[in-house]
Amino acid sequence: MKWKQQINGMKAYQPGKPIEEVKKEYGLDEVVKLASNENPYGFSPKIKAFLQNDHTNHAIYPDGYAQNLRTTVANHLGVKETQLMFGNGSDDLIAIVTRALLYPGVNTVMAHPSFSQYSHNAEIEGAEVRKVPLKDGVHDLNSMLEAIDDNTSVVWVCNPNNPTGTIVSDEELNHFIKNVPSDVLIVLDEAYYEYVHSSEFKNTLHYVNEYPNVIIMRTFSKAYGLASFRVGYAIAQEDTIAKLDPVRAPFNNTILSHKVAMIALTDQEFLQQCLEKNEAGKRQFVEFCEKHQLHYYPSETNFILFEVKADSDVVFKEMMKRGFIIRSGNALSSPGYIRVTIGTQEQNAKFLNLLEEVLKEQGVFA
């Protein structure tokens, strides 16, 4: 068969072992997943109440334009409905952008390490991928500017960045956006923006109105706890959305996902509770790292990447044996580190006690 040569040797995204498989493999009664940055507190109780009494007819297609959700999100953000595009999670939006703008002969610029789906989708389209190393765990925007040339089509800024959890300041971002050529699309991936507490991070919506080559991506999968419902959305000027929307698959969200995302937006009180608990949980990890003199990246997200001074894969496997699924830094171009989703206070405390045990076994601690 006439396969695209770009996909030869490519591997599918590896999401990690599911909880039930880990339970079975290690004979465990309880397993906590702290690998994919989901909200450990789940979603709003208003959604639970809705689902218990929902009588949606799932035999018909959803509204492909997502009109009700579109109106709700537009009102929440203060943007026009025509400035929005919805995706089956942010992954879908990334694929739409790459399909529309990347092809053999053009290049795309991104930080490294950052979210793997930028380069994965670009490679499928046959575009050249230019990865610019992080500087102290943060996007090196000046070097990214230098990597842009006449053939650059898309530049990605993951802010906060995955896997480091770091941010670029609004001052740095402002300078960057002003200096990127107007024919290069700037993607601001803000999947974790609700979690940011730093005063250096400002709301970026004004950039959309000021620059036709800026698009912002956000999601309901993280802070809103709707990962399995798969709802991401993009914000850009109307002309940009109009060019991208024909690339989007029809009916790319479900009826149910539209409804629960709308409900999630109405419960900002629950969201704030989750954010406050996340900050408290983050302090547990920071205190552990500082106590044991382990380097960590200052996270503005619901996960933290920190040093273990041991083989990341070994620590990953040993923690899985003890009932915790995390991410090895080896899979994130960060050897010697692990990335851990911030769980509940009880989950964090148990995890850190067991991690201390593992690191003692590995000779890291006396």
Side-chain angles (χ1 to χ4, degrees):
M1 290 182 281
K2 301 175 181 65
W3 298 106
K4 269 187 175 181
Q5 64 176 21
Q6 296 97 290
I7 69 172
N8 290 333
M10 290 188 79
K11 293 182 179 179
Y13 179 77
Q14 300 297 316
K17 290 187 177 182
I19 289 175
E20 291 306 317
E21 186 177 333
V22 174
K23 282 183 179 180
K24 184 177 180 181
E25 182 175 351
Y26 295 106
L28 299 169
D29 294 324
E30 182 182 1
V31 170
V32 177
K33 184 185 175 191
L34 299 178
S36 300
N37 310 332
E38 296 117 335
N39 185 341
Y41 304 102
F43 47 67
S44 165
K46 291 183 179 181
I47 294 173
K48 183 177 181 180
F50 162 76
L51 293 173
Q52 289 173 337
N53 297 286
D54 178 43
H55 300 291
T56 297
N57 181 0
H58 294 286
I60 63 172
Y61 285 108
D63 171 13
Y65 192 62
Q67 182 61 68
N68 291 335
L69 177 59
R70 181 179 298 274
T71 300
T72 302
V73 172
N75 290 338
H76 178 74
L77 296 176
V79 301
K80 297 178 182 178
E81 293 182 6
T82 46
Q83 288 184 266
L84 296 171
M85 181 173 66
F86 293 90
N88 187 28
S90 293
D91 299 303
D92 187 26
L93 299 171
I94 292 167
I96 290 169
V97 166
T98 56
R99 190 177 179 193
L101 286 154
L102 297 181
Y103 46 86
V106 302
N107 67 71
T108 179
V109 175
M110 63 198 67
H112 181 74
S114 193
F115 189 44
S116 62
Q117 292 304 292
Y118 309 147
S119 59
H120 181 82
N121 282 280
E123 288 166 6
I124 291 173
E125 300 303 331
E128 177 193 351
V129 176
R130 296 183 176 180
K131 296 182 179 181
V132 178
L134 298 175
K135 189 175 182 180
D136 298 323
V138 180
H139 281 55
D140 185 350
L141 295 183
N142 288 332
S143 294
M144 289 175 68
L145 279 174
E146 292 175 2
I148 295 171
D149 63 17
D150 291 342
N151 293 320
T152 303
S153 184
V154 182
V155 60
W156 308 84
V157 180
C158 188
N159 196 30
N161 185 48
N162 180 8
T164 55
T166 56
I167 59 167
V168 293
S169 70
D170 187 64
E171 182 180 356
E172 294 171 303
L173 185 62
N174 184 52
H175 176 266
F176 179 77
I177 291 174
K178 284 182 177 178
N179 286 279
V180 171
S182 60
D183 63 347
V184 176
L185 183 69
I186 305 168
V187 180
L188 304 181
D189 186 346
E190 298 182 348
Y192 300 92
Y193 95 101
E194 289 95 347
Y195 286 107
V196 180
H197 272 63
S198 173
S199 60
E200 293 187 351
F201 184 97
K202 308 294 183 184
N203 194 317
T204 53
L205 286 177
H206 67 96
Y207 288 119
V208 165
N209 294 325
E210 296 167 17
Y211 297 92
N213 62 325
V214 170
I215 186 168
I216 298 169
M217 293 181 180
R218 294 177 180 174
T219 183
F220 285 92
S221 295
K222 305 303 181 184
Y224 285 102
L226 299 178
S228 70
F229 289 97
R230 314 305 299 124
V231 185
Y233 60 97
I235 315 147
Q237 289 194 10
E238 293 170 285
D239 288 347
T240 302
I241 294 296
K243 291 289 285 186
L244 288 170
D245 208 33
V247 183
R248 178 181 59 84
F251 313 118
N252 61 332
N253 293 123
T254 67
I255 293 176
L256 204 54
S257 63
H258 288 170
K259 290 182 177 181
V260 297
M262 290 168 58
I263 296 169
L265 277 181
T266 69
D267 198 349
Q268 292 297 307
E269 182 180 354
F270 176 78
L271 175 67
Q272 289 304 315
Q273 291 172 359
C274 292
L275 302 184
E276 290 170 11
K277 291 175 182 177
N278 183 74
E279 284 299 298
K282 192 190 304 179
R283 288 194 291 272
Q284 290 176 274
F285 284 90
V286 169
E287 289 169 4
F288 178 87
C289 291
E290 292 182 345
K291 173 186 174 182
H292 295 293
Q293 297 182 311
L294 300 172
H295 175 260
Y296 64 93
Y297 290 101
S299 176
E300 293 288 341
T301 65
N302 67 334
F303 62 83
I304 185 167
L305 181 71
F306 64 96
E307 180 185 32
V308 288
K309 295 182 178 178
D311 187 316
S312 301
D313 286 346
V314 171
V315 174
F316 160 76
K317 290 176 183 176
E318 289 299 321
M319 291 307 299
M320 191 157 54
K321 289 178 184 177
R322 291 163 171 80
F324 283 91
I325 307 172
I326 58 173
R327 287 299 300 272
S328 165
N330 289 344
L332 304 169
S333 299
S334 303
Y337 285 69
I338 57 173
R339 193 193 69 189
V340 185
T341 304
I342 297 166
T344 66
Q345 184 175 1
E346 295 75 18
Q347 290 171 344
N348 299 335
K350 184 177 180 181
F351 172 85
L352 292 170
N353 284 334
L354 291 172
L355 178 61
E356 191 168 41
E357 175 186 295
V358 168
L359 295 184
K360 283 180 180 177
E361 289 179 1
Q362 296 302 310
V364 177
F365 304 151

